[in-house]
Amino acid sequence: MFSRRRLLRLLLILIGLPLLYVAGAIGLAMLTDYQPAPTEAVAWTGGTADTPPDTLRFLTWNLGYGGLGYGADFFYDGGETVRMPRDSVAAYVAGSRSTLAQLEPKPDFLLLQEVDRASRRSYQTDMTEGLTEALPAFGQAFATNYDVTYIPIPLLNPMGGVLSGLLTMSPYRPDTAVRHAFAGNYAWPTGLFFLDRCFLAIRYARSDGDLLVINTHNSAFDDGSLRATQMEQLAGALRQAYAEGMYVIVGGDWNQTPPGFAGVPGLPAPDWAVDGRFQVPAAYPDTGWQWVFDPTVPTNRHLVAAFDPDTTPRNVIDFFLVSPNVEPLSVRGVDLGFRHSDHQPVQMEVALRP
């Protein structure tokens, strides 16, 4: 039988080990915390020196880090899974890569989010390498927005390390590529383990006004205050660019719905999409700018369980914004049945109007 002293010692160990684990994880995160500057130039590799034409094709797609295809659920969204089996991740990564490689006509710009480079959740797959091989004519710039050495949750099956970010690809080599850090984050210590959100801006010099292409991935899992702060910051950058005579095109995962959107007709939708709780402003950043989206094809699904076409709530949170001197010619959501990611691609064609 245990003596009282031994029982007390056992209880202290049972209580102390989890506390030591958490304290160690926080200490490691503080020592290795990714702290980017407000603006940072990022390298552009590949592509040509040609100037983009006046009519341009875009595609935006959150690749779900290669781990959130049709069979996935996710613990942080109410599911149970931390990472999918290795063969599933390999299939999702190969599927998204093949989809992009087979697009015809090819987009002039690919704006991709949740692109992993070295993460436990995707078995250390560098997705940028596969995309470079699949699209050899395209150059690219990568902006880190998730760099955490060790995420300690869930306790019995932790996420571990994550290195991920935004990837913009194009055959056209820009004059500059700059990572812009979004201000604000979760309170300490939660913020140590969450994304450092940003947008990636590439700029092309033109005789009639520069072209600015922005890839964005705004916050999720907050009460809306972080998203509002980020939208205000982005609005300032957009107004300044347009005032300088630029053509401005923004695409990405906004984690908000378009103006007036109340769900895809005939499909189940989350409550916050129906009631407009997280909806971008209509006249943003000013009157004359246009939101460009396809309300008939969902771009995102819930991850409480594997995808079920009859019951899974779906939403539109991936779309574009263009300045008044850019004319949208077409937009189309690409319905892939969420086979390779919890998001679906959106294609847009525009014309620059001097």
Side-chain angles (χ1 to χ4, degrees):
M1 296 178 64
F2 283 112
S3 67
R4 289 185 178 180
R5 181 176 296 178
R6 289 183 177 177
L7 183 59
L8 179 60
R9 185 180 301 168
L10 178 62
L11 289 174
L12 289 174
I13 291 173
L14 292 175
I15 295 172
L17 283 177
L19 292 177
L20 183 63
Y21 173 76
V22 171
I26 292 174
L28 177 63
M30 292 176 65
L31 288 172
T32 60
D33 187 29
Y34 174 56
Q35 297 182 340
T39 59
E40 294 179 340
V42 296
W44 180 276
T45 58
T48 72
D50 295 337
T51 302
D54 290 343
T55 300
L56 298 166
R57 293 182 295 270
F58 290 79
L59 179 142
T60 184
W61 191 8
N62 181 323
L63 300 183
Y65 62 81
L68 298 176
Y70 69 100
D73 64 285
F74 185 55
F75 80 98
Y76 212 83
D77 278 329
E80 299 179 352
T81 304
V82 177
R83 68 172 177 172
M84 293 294 286
R86 185 184 295 269
D87 58 348
S88 295
V89 170
Y92 298 154
V93 170
S96 60
R97 183 173 62 235
S98 176
T99 298
L100 293 172
Q102 294 174 17
L103 288 170
E104 290 297 341
K106 287 282 187 294
D108 297 293
F109 294 93
L110 299 173
L111 309 180
L112 308 175
Q113 305 85 41
E114 292 195 22
V115 181
D116 268 13
R117 301 200 70 173
S119 305
R120 180 181 181 271
R121 63 188 184 180
S122 54
Y123 299 89
Q124 308 303 318
T125 303
D126 188 341
M127 298 176 72
T128 66
E129 289 184 353
L131 291 168
T132 299
E133 294 173 3
L135 297 159
F138 280 63
Q140 63 180 249
F142 180 85
T144 300
N145 71 355
Y146 206 0
D147 186 358
V148 179
T149 302
Y150 185 78
I151 300 170
I153 59 171
L155 185 64
L156 299 180
N157 185 20
M159 280 185 66
V162 175
L163 177 60
S164 189
L166 311 178
L167 184 70
T168 296
M169 302 185 71
S170 174
Y172 304 104
R173 181 187 296 273
D175 293 278
T176 61
V178 179
R179 181 196 190 277
H180 296 259
F182 275 128
N185 203 337
Y186 294 89
W188 187 92
T190 304
L192 294 170
F193 303 102
F194 268 76
L195 291 83
D196 292 279
R197 301 280 183 174
C198 68
F199 63 91
L200 173 59
I202 61 173
R203 181 170 175 173
Y204 297 85
R206 293 170 52 98
S207 60
D208 61 345
D210 290 0
L211 170 65
L212 189 68
V213 177
I214 293 176
N215 183 354
T216 188
H217 189 188
N218 299 61
S219 282
F221 306 118
D222 73 300
D223 60 4
S225 57
L226 278 179
R227 274 170 272 204
T229 298
Q230 292 166 2
M231 292 294 282
E232 183 178 353
Q233 178 184 346
L234 180 60
L238 299 180
R239 291 190 190 102
Q240 179 178 343
Y242 182 61
E244 294 176 5
M246 296 188 206
Y247 303 95
V248 185
I249 298 160
V250 190
D253 174 1
W254 300 81
N255 275 309
Q256 300 161 89
T257 57
F261 180 80
V264 177
L267 296 181
D271 292 340
W272 65 267
V274 176
D275 64 23
R277 198 178 319 159
F278 301 123
Q279 192 171 99
V280 296
Y284 175 93
D286 287 313
T287 303
W289 292 67
Q290 296 184 69
W291 294 106
V292 188
F293 60 96
D294 182 350
T296 68
V297 176
T299 70
N300 175 248
R301 73 169 180 93
H302 268 202
L303 287 165
V304 175
F307 179 63
D308 183 327
D310 295 323
T311 63
T312 300
R314 279 151 279 181
N315 201 5
V316 171
I317 60 174
D318 306 85
F319 45 91
F320 298 94
L321 174 69
V322 300
S323 56
N325 52 357
V326 177
E327 178 186 357
L329 301 178
S330 66
V331 63
R332 181 176 74 93
V334 183
D335 193 348
L336 302 174
F338 295 97
R339 185 118 193 122
H340 314 307
S341 172
D342 60 324
H343 290 251
Q344 303 205 102
V346 183
Q347 294 178 303
M348 176 184 70
E349 186 174 16
V350 301
L352 308 183
R353 302 300 189 195

